[in-house]
Amino acid sequence: MTRLHLFDLDGTLMYGSAAPVEISRQLGLGSEIAELERAFSARKLDPPQFSLAVHALWAELTPAHVRAAFDGSPWLSGIREVWSEIRERGEFCAVVSLSPSFFVELLLEWGAHAAHGSLFPQVPFIGPMDVAGILTPKDKVTVADRLCERFGLARTDCVAYGDSVTDEVLFGAVPVSVAVNARPFLAERATHVYEGRDLREAYQLVAAARPGVAAS
C-alpha cells in the first residue's frame, strides 16, 4: 500500500510561526506582519487580500532575506528523517501551503517530492501580484487531487498534517489526518492529535496505525 503524506507548513512543520512572519522579521517588519496575521486569523482578510498586503509590505525583499528566513525558522525536529523514511517505504510526501511558493519550494531541498504554495512574483519583486495564483483552503484539495493523479493514487491513500482552520477542508477530504500543535477546532476533526516539536513523533502516530506495519 502506497500513501501520499500532505504537510501544511505554517504552524505545522514550523513551530509557532509562519513563513510570512519569518520573512517579515528579516525586513524589520515584525509589528506590521503581526497586524496582518491578526486580521487574517479574524477573517477580516481572505488569502488574496492578505497576499496583496504582504506583497506590498515586502517591497525591499531579496533572495538573501528569503534564505535567511528559511534557515532561521523554528522548524520541527526530524523533518528530513521523516521524509527519508517515507521515501524508503515507497510512499510520497508533499508540502501544500498558502504561503509564498518561493519559500515553500525550498523544502524540496529536504526531500519532499513536491511543494506547492501561493504564486508570487519572482524575488526581488519587479511586477504586480496576480491573485489568481493565490491558494485558498479549498485549493489544498485541488492540489492534493493533482498530486494523486501524478503519483497514481486516490484521496483514500492520503494522510494530511495541519494545524488550523485553513486545513479543515483537506482534513475532511482524506481518511487520515494528524493535527499538529493545532487549534482545538481542527484537533476535534483529526484522526490523530500531536503536541510537540518533533515530526518523527507525529509521524509515528500514523505509522503505528498502519495495518501490518510497526512504527520505527
Side-chain angles (χ1 to χ4, degrees), residues 58-170:
W58 296 340
E60 304 301 321
L61 187 64
T62 68
H65 290 127
V66 176
R67 173 55 67 176
F70 183 85
D71 292 343
S73 292
W75 300 106
L76 294 190
S77 300
I79 295 174
R80 298 182 205 191
E81 290 84 352
V82 167
W83 291 352
S84 176
E85 181 170 333
I86 288 171
R87 282 177 170 272
E88 288 174 1
R89 287 184 169 179
E91 299 181 349
F92 303 94
C93 52
V95 183
V96 185
S97 171
L98 304 190
S99 279
S101 58
F102 60 75
F103 188 96
V104 179
E105 289 170 2
L106 292 176
L107 285 165
L108 293 171
E109 299 173 3
W110 290 6
H113 287 92
H116 293 268
S118 292
L119 297 179
F120 276 63
Q122 185 176 353
V123 178
F125 300 145
I126 58 174
M129 279 285 296
D130 181 358
V131 295
I134 302 305
L135 297 186
T136 68
K138 290 182 180 179
D139 290 328
K140 287 193 172 188
V141 178
T142 302
V143 173
D145 285 342
R146 290 174 182 166
L147 290 171
C148 283
E149 183 177 359
R150 170 182 167 184
F151 298 128
L153 301 173
R155 286 188 191 179
T156 52
D157 302 312
C158 292
V159 181
Y161 303 74
D163 77 303
S164 70
V165 66
T166 61
D167 300 299
E168 178 190 6
V169 180
L170 183 58

Side-chain angles (χ1 to χ4, degrees), residues 2-19:
T2 299
R3 297 190 296 184
L4 170 59
H5 299 259
L6 299 160
F7 295 89
D8 172 55
L9 190 159
D10 302 321
T12 302
L13 295 176
M14 190 183 292
Y15 184 82
S17 191

